[in-house]
Structure formats: C-alpha cells, structure tokens
Amino acid sequence: MDNIRNLLVIITLILVTGSVSFGQDRYVVKYKYKPQTEYSLEEPGAFLTQKALDRRDREGVLADSTDLPVSQQYVDEVRGMVEKILYNSKWFNASIVIATNEQVKKLLDLDFVMEEGVELIAKGYYTEGENSRKSLLKSPLNIQILSKSKTEDDYAFQNGLLGVPEMHAEGLTGFGMTIAVFDGGFLNMEEIEGMRHLLDDEKIIATKDYVHHWSDNVFRADAHGTSALSLIAANDVNTLVSGAYDANYILCITEDVDSEYRIEEYNWARAAEFADSLGTDIISSSLGYTIFSDPSMNYGKSALDGETALITKAASLAGEKGILVVSSAGNDGGSSETTITAPADAKGILSVGAVNMDLTRSSFSSVGPTADGRIKPDVMALGNGVRLLRGSTGSSTSSGTSFSAPQIAALAAGIWQGRPEWTKDELIHYILQSGDNSADPNNEFGYGVPNFELAYFGEVLETENQPEIYETKIYPNPLDGNELFIQFGHQEQCDYTLLDINGRVIGKNTLSRKSNGDPYQIQLTSINTGLYVIELVEGFTAERHKLLIRQ
C-alpha cells in the first residue's frame, strides 16, 4: 500500500464515520482444535471441487487438515457470544468476528480458544447499507493515471516485452485456466467494452466481497482492480488485448480502500481459501502491506522473512496447494533498504517489480532481499506508463508494480495452458530461467523480464547440449557515428530489432557475419538522437539492450 495513501487514512476515517461503527471492533478468534462431525479427509470431494482435487493430484498434494472447515460446534458457540461472525478461515482455524471488549474477555475463557487467541485486527466495522462511493484515496500500489489517445502501438510494447504475441500465435490465450484476482474493487468493469466478453461468455465464475460482507457485488468501491484485471483479461483490438482473455475468473474484494488494518490480510486469506476450493490455478494480487492505520500492527523489515505476516503465510500455503501466486513487489523502491511488502516476501510465489520502457528499473519499484536473504523481486515487467482500461471512455496509462504483476499472471496462464503437465514449481522455474537477468539475478531486477518462448520451450532447451554463447557486447555505446558492432550468440545469423522507448519498431533485419567469433556490423543512418532498445534473437535465446544514439 502506498505510504502516501496511509498518511491519508486517518483523515478518511473521520470523513466516513457515518458508515463505520465504533465500540465494537473486528477480532480474529483462533481455535486450538478442529473436531469434525460432518467432513472427513477420506472424502475431500465434500468440501473441494473436482478441479481443486485435480490440481492437488498434479502437484502430488493430498488434502489435509487445513482444507477441513472450522468446527461447526465452535462456530455455533462463538456466534452466540459476539455481535456477528463475518467469516471463518479454515487455513488458520479461526473466526473473524465483531465483538465488544467484554465479549472478548469471555471468548478468552473458552477452553477451545488458544491462549491469547483473540486478537484485534480492525477498529470499528462497516454497517450494512454502507454506500458504494468511490474512495478519494490513491489506489493500492498505484502511482498515477494519465489519459492518452489510442495509437496502434498502445499495448504493443508491454505485450511484446513478454512475448505475448508469440504466445497468442501458439493459440495460448488462457483457455481452461482459472485466475483469481484480489483487489479493492472492480468499479466500471461492466461498462468497459474490452471487458464485456467476461460477462457475455460467463468467464466470471464467482465473486466475493470480504469488505462489505453483506454483498457479493464486486463491481463497486474502486477501479484499481478493474485496471489490474484489464491487464490479464482485456480483449479489444481498439484499446487493449491482454495475455489471458480466454481464462475464467474469480473476483474478490479483499482490500478496504478507506482504511488499513490487518483484517485485510485475513480477507486475502479467506479469498484464497475460496478460490482454492473452486480450483483456481493462479492468484493475481496487486496488494501489499507493511504500514497500518494502527501503528502497533506495522511490520518491520525483519518481519519480511517469508514466515511472519499472515498474508505471507496464506500466499505460501496457497503455493503449497499448487496455486501460482503472482504478487506486486511494492512501490517503495526509493528507499535504500529492503522495500518489498507482504506477501511479496512469501516463498514459492512470483513477486513482480517494474521496469521502464528503456528496461531500467522504475524508481518506485521495491527491492529486496527478504529478511532471510532471498532474492526479491523474482521477475519484472513494464510498470511505468502501462496501457490499461479503467473506465468506459477508452484506455489510459498508469504506473506501479500493481500493473506489472497482472501481466506476469497473464503470461503464466498462457504458458500453463500449453504445459498442463507442469507443476507450479516447474512453471516458476521456467519463467525465472527465461528472464533476461537469469544469468546473474539480483535484488533490483530479480531474474529480469521473462520471455514466453524461452519459458514455454525451456524444457526442451535444458535437455539440449548448447554451445557456449559469447558475452554480448554492443559498442560504441553511446553511438556518436553510424557504425555499430554487436557481439552476440554463437551462430552465423541472428534476428535484430531496434525499438524506440515507446515500443515502436524503427528497424528490423536478419544479421549475418563471416564467422562465429566476429561481431555483427550495422550501419545506422537517419535515426534521431535518443534512447533505444535493441532486441537480439538467436534460436530460443533472446536479449534486450539499451542503446543511446547521439548523432
């Protein structure tokens, strides 16, 4: 969550006291045991769909006690002692309740409640009928929204960077995959032409609102989720075509755009449980937590160890059940210390940073490592000036790791559609290895920007005995004259593309050289001064490099 946004939370709470009730707060009640009278691990089909069971079979994972519902006996007893039970979390064997201080004291006396097992997770609560006004605060992990008229290259660069056109050429558009998107709302989605197919073709298979718990209308509250979803699911050649427009979707509101409390972590966990039970393959989450409205809830740097934050535990657990979690790394990259936010520190997921169009790291993109020394972020995608859909009046651009992560989720969906036999960890492996920084991953870029073809055909590449590739060199750089030399690869030819920083193709050709040890030679004339990107492809090896021209 943006630090700027958090500074405004208290002001917002004052403004919305007409719809937030105080005196009774929201608590988590944690249980010691999980006795069952209705369900058994011998018959998991009673509480998991066949698609969820099929995923577990692929992963070699059996249903376990975390999959069993919370004891109905406990729920019934607690319900009679509190104002209201909002929901139960089976993964964490707990109930989320609205209660008074006196009720909390009585809950702590129950023999099936853990010692110190009642914890405040949010002040006040929303009353039914709270209006669906749009928050005036900045959206989660969002930087800016800039209107811009459409051109034929609007989304070419962000898609081309990941190899989405090549993925679509293989017939991989996410068909048969299920993607859950967690956010603060999907306002305007029904009105956007490029998203209508999701409704018309019944691609949205389930929705839940864990903030306004009395309603499952997710097309409200905030358009941040709409923007994130558009980068996975949009299909309008006039505005935006995204990577996985044929997938099925589960849309959940877990983020409260008017405050910041730890209940949002539990909302996320409950949404993950819900999505898991329906057999989701991927969770795309453009949310992050370290700073809360109540400072006592804050997470310090040492807590970003992959094991502390509740939402991080939930993301890791989802991964253990075979779900690919794709999470924004965070937008606090200006700090000199570790700046990732939970759940980006989780193990077994993909956390995504942001690059500019010149492939440098966006200044806001959070950096690692985790507190236990693991490299984060894992991969990168375009996060500055991303073309997306937000309202019914056309496309716009925005910046933030909120909008780099969904692109990776879409890429993963297409790859997994074509490689259904891969486990979640195999999918992650090949995506990481396809990154343009995979040879030397670090805590600014992770493994770099992944590439569809390198990931999709990665299994084949790993079994081949490939000759050594020469270290790539492009010189002189900056270029003051016309003659450019490129040392790349080991074959006698390679494909060369020169793009400007807006993604427009300036030149494209197949380069040849006399022998493998010689550099390629290129004559560049009539090209304006500026920063460019050179893409080089040899077989299944692809690299992108910056070139500054000073002619």
Side-chain angles (χ1 to χ4, degrees), residues 441-511:
N442 57 47
N443 288 304
E444 289 195 353
F445 291 90
Y447 286 72
V449 179
N451 174 272
F452 164 73
E453 289 184 319
L454 296 181
Y456 189 67
F457 297 106
E459 192 171 39
V460 176
L461 291 172
E462 283 195 353
T463 62
E464 293 179 350
N465 182 20
Q466 298 188 74
E468 181 180 358
I469 297 176
Y470 297 109
E471 180 182 358
T472 302
K473 296 179 181 178
I474 297 176
Y475 57 96
N477 190 5
L479 178 63
D480 295 312
N482 296 323
E483 191 167 27
L484 183 70
F485 297 89
I486 299 175
Q487 182 71 63
F488 170 70
H490 60 266
Q491 298 179 8
E492 294 182 359
Q493 289 186 330
C494 79
D495 293 326
Y496 155 87
T497 304
L498 180 68
L499 306 99
D500 68 13
I501 60 172
N502 293 315
R504 288 187 288 267
V505 175
I506 305 302
K508 192 170 185 177
N509 204 350
T510 297
L511 305 181

Side-chain angles (χ1 to χ4, degrees), residues 367-388:
V367 299
T370 61
D372 58 329
R374 286 173 292 117
I375 287 176
K376 289 287 179 176
D378 296 296
V379 292
M380 310 289 277
L382 183 69
N384 195 5
V386 180
R387 176 61 50 178
L388 47 75

Side-chain angles (χ1 to χ4, degrees), residues 142 145 185-187 192 195 223-232 240 387-391 396 398 402-403 406:
N142 183 23
I145 299 290
F186 301 88
L187 187 69
I192 299 174
M195 310 278 270
H224 185 267
T226 305
S227 298
L229 177 63
S230 75
L231 289 162
I232 313 174
L240 176 66
R387 176 61 50 178
L388 47 75
L389 303 179
R390 186 177 177 87
S396 58
S398 187
S402 280
F403 307 126

